[in-house]
Amino acid sequence: MNDVQVRDARASDAAAIAAIYNVHVRGTVVTFEVDEVDATEMAHRIAEVQSRGLPWRVADAGGVVLGYAYAGPWKTRAAYARTVETSIYLDANACGRGLGTRVYADLLAELRTRGVHVAIGGASLPNPASAALHAALGFAPVGVFRAVGFKLGRWIDVGYWQLQLDGPMSKGPG
């Protein structure tokens, strides 16, 4: 994995990102989206995240996108402006080699430089790999929403983890 560069996503990455994502759309409960996303839509999503001043990072090995992580707004109300929800997806062939940890840690470092206070990660359950990744990066489990998504013929729970990226949790801005 030494040949992998983690960098900002570009519009030209949209087709590769969509291909990685659509594997999960089609056959897993990792995302609750049920319709595949084309490159045009993915390029729009990347631009939307970046236009908000938030990072969308890709793991690139010699021009091949192996995975990505990004942060989007947690909620739209102004008081949540410094809280984000994070997402990470890897190509199936890139799993189990530490790439997820690397790209997610890079995303968190980038969020810190942008003044983000809290990162929230969510994952469909059970998902031991995601739980382990969040724990390894310092996230604390904060709760489970039971049976909130219905996909592939069943109800799915979603677990949430939280990581404070700056000073003490009780400290507000200013």
Side-chain angles (χ1 to χ4, degrees):
M1 286 284 127
N2 291 336
D3 59 334
V4 175
Q5 170 193 12
V6 180
R7 60 167 174 78
D8 288 327
R10 301 185 285 253
S12 60
D13 298 321
I17 290 170
I20 291 167
Y21 183 64
N22 285 332
V23 169
H24 299 288
V25 171
R26 285 190 302 269
T28 77
V29 296
V30 171
T31 177
F32 286 172
E33 197 150 11
V34 296
D35 295 320
E36 290 189 23
V37 177
D38 66 19
T40 301
E41 172 60 21
M42 193 58 76
H44 172 76
R45 292 179 185 191
I46 294 165
E48 175 66 21
V49 164
Q50 292 173 337
S51 75
R52 294 174 176 271
L54 294 171
W56 190 307
R57 306 290 284 165
V58 298
D60 177 320
V64 177
V65 175
L66 300 176
Y68 63 95
Y70 68 93
W74 168 243
K75 301 276 186 185
T76 59
R77 303 286 190 264
Y80 293 117
R82 292 178 55 213
T83 300
V84 298
E85 184 171 12
T86 57
S87 294
I88 179 170
Y89 292 89
L90 298 179
D91 181 277
N93 296 319
C95 293
R97 300 186 290 178
L99 184 61
T101 301
R102 184 169 168 196
V103 71
Y104 208 165
D106 177 273
L107 176 73
L108 296 172
E110 186 64 31
L111 290 169
R112 284 181 176 97
T113 70
R114 297 180 191 209
V116 173
H117 178 61
V118 169
I120 297 170
S124 55
L125 299 175
N127 193 331
S130 187
L133 176 61
H134 284 94
L137 293 170
F139 283 77
V142 291
V144 175
F145 293 140
R146 303 280 178 206
V148 293
F150 188 83
K151 187 174 178 186
L152 302 178
R154 63 187 169 101
W155 288 103
I156 301 135
D157 297 345
V158 177
Y160 283 93
W161 292 262
Q162 179 176 333
L163 177 65
Q164 185 175 334
L165 299 169
D166 60 7
M169 192 62 84
S170 61
K171 181 181 174 186

